[in-house]
Amino acid sequence: KQWKKSPFSRETIRDILNVRSRLVSANYDLVFDIQGNIKSGMVARLSGCPVRVGFEWLVTQERMNTLFTNRKVPLHPSDQHVTDQYLRVVSAWFGKEYRGEPLATDIVGSAEDTAWAETLLSALPKGRLFLLHTGTTWQTKFWHDQGWIDLGKQLSSVYPDATLLFSWGNDDERNTVERIAKAIGNAAVVLERVPLVRLAALLKKVTLVIGGDTGVVHLAAAVGAATVSYYRSSDGLRSGPRGDNHWIVQTPLPCARCFKTSCEQDQECRQSITCEMVLAGVRQLVPDGT
């Protein structure tokens, strides 16, 4: 972001040369660009690697990305989900078909990370644990505070034994979740800010995670937690967690999946996702009587 603000400044040029030097010194044999935007393309090109594998221009996020890669992998018509596209780019280069292969992952932390999570849980009431993450990046991926408050109260009503944990990543998000938690009541607990690998240790132990199109939701899915996630400008069918343990809520507005980072209809779009829509997903994954 700093480079974009001052692309021709002495500091930017020095930073670019420094990054290039560090990348070139790694002497990579292959570079796979699975992001498909200008930034990832620049990193691929700065690596100095002679073989840079990426997407064809039709599926790149930013068309200029194709200037930085020199091997293009065509996608199969069935590669609709973004992870299918990532896997296609990498596996095709080796002459492999990724479908049918066992795909699994984990976020492995330290013993201290696990101990932190267990200590935290031991101090909470026994019962279900829902982790709610309100933060994200784009304006068009946020929900609204009242939606979170209504959802929190409904969760407390449907699941009286539940504790609602709120995570956050910066001061603005902390202020938001503190305000929301106060409105919900005693069932809501605002967590301290911790590194992602430590948060992953906690996500492995919660009942369910609720959030928008944000890293914490995808981190939760990676470690096996159930998720309910909502999507406005992004496409839940393309980028949301997959499987029976996940529930996707997409705005019903006709302009959904616009991929805009800001919009004049932002408030209308936020309101189009209701507490009832999100709660329906929770009740589907966590039946009341279990």
Side-chain angles (χ1 to χ4, degrees):
K1 291 180 179 178
Q2 286 298 118
W3 292 2
K4 289 174 69 175
K5 290 178 181 178
S6 306
F8 303 111
S9 71
R10 185 173 300 176
E11 183 179 356
T12 297
I13 293 172
R14 184 174 63 247
D15 285 347
I16 292 174
L17 292 175
N18 182 48
V19 169
R20 182 180 185 278
S21 175
R22 290 165 59 192
L23 289 171
V24 169
S25 68
N27 195 28
Y28 293 110
D29 298 303
L30 284 168
V31 169
F32 294 97
D33 182 352
I34 60 174
Q35 188 70 29
N37 59 24
I38 295 173
K39 181 168 59 177
S40 63
M42 285 184 62
V43 172
R45 185 66 183 86
L46 289 171
S47 72
C49 181
V51 182
R52 303 180 300 279
V53 187
F55 295 113
E56 292 184 319
W57 74 273
L58 285 173
V59 292
T60 54
Q61 291 188 35
E62 297 171 316
R63 299 292 186 255
M64 283 185 62
N65 170 267
T66 56
L67 298 176
F68 302 108
T69 57
N70 54 13
R71 304 290 193 278
K72 320 296 184 188
V73 174
L75 298 181
H76 189 275
S78 62
D79 298 332
Q80 296 301 311
H81 197 276
V82 67
T83 54
D84 290 330
Q85 296 173 9
Y86 296 164
L87 290 166
R88 179 69 64 192
V89 168
V90 177
S91 63
W93 181 257
F94 298 103
K96 300 291 185 179
E97 170 56 61
Y98 74 88
R99 294 187 185 276
E101 293 289 328
L103 302 176
T105 187
D106 193 9
I107 309 296
V108 180
S110 65
E112 289 77 13
D113 295 325
T114 301
W116 171 85
E118 291 176 347
T119 299
L120 171 66
L121 297 180
S122 68
L124 297 174
K126 301 297 182 183
R128 298 176 181 86
L129 291 173
F130 296 111
L131 187 138
L132 290 73
H133 190 81
T134 68
T136 182
T137 50
W138 297 1
Q139 170 192 317
T140 50
K141 290 184 178 182
F142 281 98
W143 201 16
H144 54 97
D145 289 6
Q146 192 58 49
W148 287 110
I149 293 169
D150 292 344
L151 177 64
K153 291 181 177 180
Q154 286 289 335
L155 289 172
S156 295
S157 175
V158 176
Y159 307 97
D161 68 332
T163 299
L164 312 180
L165 306 176
F166 283 86
S167 54
W168 52 278
N170 57 48
D171 289 342
D172 287 341
E173 292 179 10
R174 182 191 61 191
N175 293 335
T176 297
V177 297
E178 286 179 346
R179 187 167 59 248
I180 292 171
K182 182 178 180 180
I184 293 172
N186 293 333
V189 175
V190 176
L191 298 171
E192 62 178 296
R193 184 182 181 184
V194 295
L196 286 176
V197 69
R198 179 155 291 190
L199 181 61
L202 175 62
L203 294 174
K204 295 177 183 181
K205 300 177 182 296
V206 302
T207 307
L208 182 131
V209 174
I210 305 171
D213 187 4
T214 185
V216 171
V217 167
H218 301 296
L219 187 67
V223 299
T227 70
V228 172
S229 51
Y230 66 86
Y231 299 81
R232 297 172 51 211
S233 62
S234 56
D235 186 349
L237 295 180
R238 180 178 182 272
S239 57
R242 294 183 294 178
D244 296 337
N245 217 25
H246 307 289
W247 188 273
I248 302 298
V249 177
Q250 185 81 51
T251 173
L253 294 182
C255 54
R257 307 175 179 89
C258 65
F259 287 94
K260 293 180 179 178
T261 57
S262 61
C263 179
E264 294 179 354
Q265 293 179 285
D266 182 55
Q267 289 303 316
E268 179 185 353
C269 188
R270 294 188 191 214
Q271 296 289 340
S272 71
I273 295 176
T274 66
C275 170
E276 289 71 25
M277 293 164 67
V278 179
L279 184 63
V282 178
R283 299 187 79 156
Q284 184 69 27
L285 297 177
V286 186
D288 305 359
T290 60

